[in-house]
Amino acid sequence: MSDSVEAPKIEFPCEDYPIKVVGNNENNFYGFVVETVQIHAPDLDITQVTFQDSRNGRFQSVRLKIRATGEAQLQALFEDLKASGRVHMVL
């Protein structure tokens, strides 16, 4: 008998879908993340985007919320961020 638990399904559109992107703190990482996200979510409110440097300043995390319209949008966004080679994690 398996006790596998399915992840909760997201209902689209999701107005405040949270995303956290972690990468090296270099070459305007914050700007790169914002520009990439705006390709997939043009209505991104950049006044709500926050970032934080790691304790040693080597990494930076960028937190934002988008209006998620579907699985395809999220998959394409995550793939573009990861394909850059600048992103370590997308949560």
Side-chain angles (χ1 to χ4, degrees):
M1 185 161 127
S2 175
D3 289 332
S4 65
V5 178
E6 285 189 37
K9 297 287 183 188
I10 300 168
E11 292 186 29
F12 294 106
C14 179
E15 294 299 323
D16 290 318
Y17 186 84
I19 299 174
K20 180 179 179 180
V21 184
V22 179
N24 291 337
N25 186 11
E26 57 188 30
N27 300 325
N28 191 19
F29 182 72
Y30 169 87
F32 158 75
V33 171
V34 169
E35 287 176 12
T36 303
V37 170
Q38 285 178 319
I39 293 168
H40 301 279
D43 56 348
L44 173 68
D45 181 358
I46 60 171
T47 65
Q48 299 297 312
V49 178
T50 62
F51 67 93
Q52 182 174 357
D53 295 341
S54 66
R55 181 177 13 192
N56 297 328
R58 182 173 172 203
F59 301 103
Q60 187 173 75
S61 65
V62 180
R63 294 176 188 243
L64 49 95
K65 292 182 181 178
I66 66 167
R67 181 178 186 275
T69 58
E71 300 256 354
Q73 175 204 31
L74 295 176
Q75 187 66 35
L77 171 57
F78 292 171
E79 286 176 6
D80 281 358
L81 287 168
K82 293 293 282 183
S84 70
R86 298 182 68 181
V87 174
H88 294 289
M89 273 189 288
V90 180
L91 307 168

